[in-house]
């Protein structure tokens, strides 16, 4: 498959074994009568990464193995939103999770995903409007307290890497893909030929203020019609609370209510799916990707929401694509935040395995 010689593959495997990333498995019989017996190799099961996600209401800290499987995770609300409160609290939660679940495992990296404008090269959150952060050196601070190599990236780029590495359509995603993340923050990432576009300022993918027909909320930027103001979780949760549809301020509660058959909850999520579908149609026509992945709480869990989103894309896009094939929900429903942080670290491991672990 790699078009490399057997000798080269043996050399590469030896190097990966030295780094503790692969292990020899039990010997298996090779083809009868020729050569040495085959020695199967497998990914090392004790090598893990820490995945961190910083959202507006809470942080998520997870341990993931090399296959991107979540071993353990915890979510904690913020005690305060300023970076001087959030980052030390995060460091404590990372240490606690490592003590509880990482004692017999080797932690080889730390990945952080968050919304807003993230400069990956410098490990800096340039601007996160909802947290009120500007030029916060997340990578340097967490690297110092944990002693781990740290990489920081945006929600959408992180989740696009997760789809490339472990997603249900990974092969097609590696050809070309657009990822649309819809949480409190709305952002987009684009990849072609397996490479996620970063841009010279790490600023690609800002679609918060994309004008979309049917968006009627007033945006903090002063205009009416911006995508993020209409579909962000905080906007939806506020409306759901006001209408008495949920009793806790979480998007998950609204999806639970819709799943339990509450018609007004379903209607709110359907409206969101239509607006997100309009934005998705614009992105599809702009990039013509092999796959367009939408990480949105409703479409990820409710088949009707995904169907509405796809129908809106089909009606609005001029690309004439087969929407069931092209427009997909996230491969990580219920775990997008842990998957995002983990993928930032695992991308680094797979792209350039650390020399000594
Ligand atoms: Zn705006």
């Amino acid at each position: 498959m790699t078009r490399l010689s057997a000798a080269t593959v043996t050399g590469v495997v030896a190097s990966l074994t030295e780094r503790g990333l692969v292990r020899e498995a039990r010997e298996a019989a090779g083809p009868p009568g020729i050569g040495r017996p085959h020695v199967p190799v497998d990914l090392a099961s004790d090598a893990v990464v820490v995945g961190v996600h910083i959202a507006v209401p809470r942080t998520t800290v997870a341990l993931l193995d090399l296959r991107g499987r979540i071993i353990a995770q915890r979510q904690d609300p913020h005690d305060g939103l300023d970076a001087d409160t959030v980052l030390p609290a995060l460091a404590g939660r990372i240490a606690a999770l490592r003590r509880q679940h990482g004692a017999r495992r080797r932690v080889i990296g730390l990945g952080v995903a968050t919304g807003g404008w993230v400069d990956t090269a410098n490990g800096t959150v340039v601007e996160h409007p909802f947290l009120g952060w500007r030029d916060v050196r997340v990578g340097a601070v967490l690297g110092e307290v944990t002693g781990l190599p740290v990489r920081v990236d945006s929600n959408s780029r992180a989740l696009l890497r997760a789809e490339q590495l472990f997603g249900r359509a990974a092969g097609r995603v590696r050809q070309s893909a657009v990822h649309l993340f819809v949480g409190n923050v709305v952002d987009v990432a684009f990849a072609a030929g397996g490479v996620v576009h970063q841009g010279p300022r790490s600023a690609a993918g800002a679609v918060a203020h994309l004008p979309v027909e049917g968006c009627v909320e007033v945006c903090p930027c002063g205009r009416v019609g911006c995508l993020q103001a209409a579909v962000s979780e905080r906007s939806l949760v506020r409306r759901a609370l006001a209408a008495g549809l949920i009793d806790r301020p979480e998007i998950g509660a609204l999806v639970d209510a819709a799943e339990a058959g509450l018609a007004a909850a379903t209607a709110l999520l359907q409206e969101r799916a239509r607006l997100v579908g309009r934005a998705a149609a614009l992105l599809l026509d702009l990039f013509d990707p092999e796959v367009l992945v939408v990480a949105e709480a409703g479409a990820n869990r409710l088949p009707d929401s995904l169907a509405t989103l796809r129908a809106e894309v089909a009606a609005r896009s001029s690309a004439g694509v087969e929407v069931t094939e092209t427009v997909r929900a996230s491969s990580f429903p219920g775990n997008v935040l842990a998957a995002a942080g983990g993928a930032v670290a695992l991308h680094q491991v797979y792209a350039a395995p650390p020399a000594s672990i």
Side-chain angles (χ1 to χ4, degrees):
M1 284 169 73
T2 59
R3 295 168 197 271
L4 298 172
S5 71
T8 304
V9 171
T10 302
V12 170
V13 170
S15 159
L16 292 173
T17 307
E18 244 165 59
R19 292 159 205 240
L21 294 171
V22 302
R23 291 254 186 279
E24 287 188 358
R26 220 149 38 85
E27 211 170 87
I34 44 165
R36 289 181 290 173
H38 286 193
V39 181
V41 292
D42 198 357
L43 290 170
S45 56
D46 63 334
V48 296
V49 297
V50 177
V52 168
H53 188 278
I54 305 171
V56 180
R58 69 181 71 83
T59 61
T60 303
V61 180
L63 278 183
L64 299 93
D65 69 12
L66 295 180
R67 293 182 202 281
R69 292 179 300 212
I70 296 163
I71 295 162
Q73 69 170 308
R74 58 181 286 172
Q75 296 201 319
D76 302 89
H78 297 304
D79 301 320
L81 288 187
D82 58 306
D84 290 338
T85 308
V86 172
L87 294 180
L90 252 179
R93 289 162 197 159
I94 293 168
L97 201 70
R98 288 177 74 173
R99 268 196 310 277
Q100 283 164 1
H101 301 278
R104 285 189 303 281
R105 296 184 167 100
R106 290 171 302 129
V107 180
I108 60 173
L110 170 62
V112 182
T114 188
W117 179 1
V118 179
D119 181 344
T120 303
N122 295 316
T124 305
V125 174
V126 180
E127 187 174 31
H128 193 311
F130 291 160
L131 290 175
W133 289 12
R134 275 199 84 89
D135 295 321
V136 176
R137 296 165 60 247
V138 173
V141 171
L142 290 181
E144 195 163 307
V145 291
T146 62
L148 295 168
V150 181
R151 189 179 164 89
V152 188
D153 214 335
S154 76
N155 282 318
S156 250
R157 288 197 294 261
L159 283 166
L160 182 46
R161 291 197 197 287
E163 295 285 348
Q164 287 178 334
L165 287 168
F166 312 111
R168 285 192 292 253
R172 290 173 56 221
V173 167
R174 284 196 284 263
Q175 292 175 40
S176 63
V178 168
H179 190 285
L180 171 58
F181 175 89
V182 184
N184 272 307
V185 171
V186 180
D187 58 12
V188 165
F190 171 65
V195 177
V196 176
H197 180 69
Q198 204 84 23
R201 288 160 294 275
S202 268
V207 292
H209 305 287
L210 184 73
V212 171
E213 187 194 329
C215 293
V216 293
E217 302 268 320
V218 178
C219 180
C221 78
R223 284 171 291 190
V224 174
C226 298
L227 175 65
Q228 183 169 286
V231 302
S232 80
E233 284 180 4
R234 59 164 56 184
S235 154
L236 222 65
V237 162
R238 194 181 58 234
R239 291 171 63 192
L241 280 171
L245 304 177
I246 53 177
D247 53 11
R248 60 180 205 275
E250 284 174 25
I251 189 77
L254 184 61
V255 181
D256 289 346
E259 209 162 35
L262 188 62
T266 305
L268 256 187
L269 288 166
Q270 288 280 347
E271 180 194 320
R272 187 196 211 197
R274 268 191 293 279
L275 297 177
V276 172
R278 283 172 200 174
L282 290 171
L283 294 169
L284 198 67
D285 289 351
L286 193 58
F287 291 103
D288 191 20
E290 182 72 24
V291 181
L292 189 148
V293 181
V294 182
E296 189 268 317
N300 281 4
R301 269 179 55 195
L302 308 169
D304 285 354
S305 270
L306 182 58
T308 298
L309 195 157
R310 282 174 167 157
E312 197 67 26
V313 175
R316 300 258 169 172
S317 163
S318 49
V321 295
E322 171 34 72
V323 285
T324 319
E325 280 294 305
T326 307
V327 180
R328 307 180 65 101
S330 170
S331 300
F332 314 98
N335 285 317
V336 287
L337 306 182
V344 176
L346 287 167
H347 163 68
Q348 190 69 5
V349 171
Y350 279 101
S356 60
I357 298 165

